[in-house]
Amino acid sequence: MDKKQIHRELQFKAMRSSGAGGQHVNKVSSKVELTFNIPASEGLSEREKQRILLKLQSRLTNDGALVLQCDEARSQHRNKDLVVKRFFEMLKKAVTIPKKRKPTKPTKSSKEKRLKSKKITAEKKASRKKPDLGK
């Protein structure tokens, strides 16, 4: 994954943010929309593209573009930084392959601990019963 090449392929679009904010929100285009076309990217290998398309399938458009928006800050530059940071975190998470879990057996002490707690619980419940008065 070539970060610099990917950064060059990003497309940004500024628009007016919604919500409360008075006059400021009506005249300033602080909301930033990031668009990244995954199939056309030269910064990703084919394997990485396939993995990203699979992992981020629900977030992609029909032509395989990833669209992210940010309007958290009042500044367009701050929103741009935030959306780029979020984009690269998302890509990194999608590309990494999780380690395969190796099943292990429970230790001797963990078995003893479990049985001891079962015995204590059983005794606690047995002590709640009414005594059997020799029938």
Side-chain angles (χ1 to χ4, degrees), residues 55-107:
K55 287 287 179 183
L56 301 177
Q57 191 175 16
S58 62
R59 302 206 59 164
L60 302 176
T61 61
N62 291 335
D63 57 323
L66 178 65
V67 179
L68 296 175
Q69 293 180 343
C70 183
D71 62 349
E72 295 166 23
R74 284 173 60 115
S75 161
Q76 186 184 117
H77 298 291
R78 181 80 180 113
N79 280 333
K80 188 175 178 182
D81 292 341
L82 287 170
V83 79
V84 168
K85 186 177 177 185
R86 207 166 51 194
F87 166 74
F88 278 113
E89 285 173 5
M90 194 180 288
L91 266 193
K92 188 177 180 182
K93 196 173 181 182
V95 169
T96 52
I97 301 167
K99 287 184 185 176
K100 195 162 190 164
R101 183 185 175 276
K102 296 176 187 171
T104 58
K105 293 180 180 173
T107 60

Side-chain angles (χ1 to χ4, degrees), residues 104-117:
T104 58
K105 293 180 180 173
T107 60
K108 188 175 181 180
S109 65
S110 70
K111 287 179 187 174
E112 289 172 357
K113 205 183 286 183
R114 182 180 62 85
L115 292 173
K116 187 178 177 184
S117 75

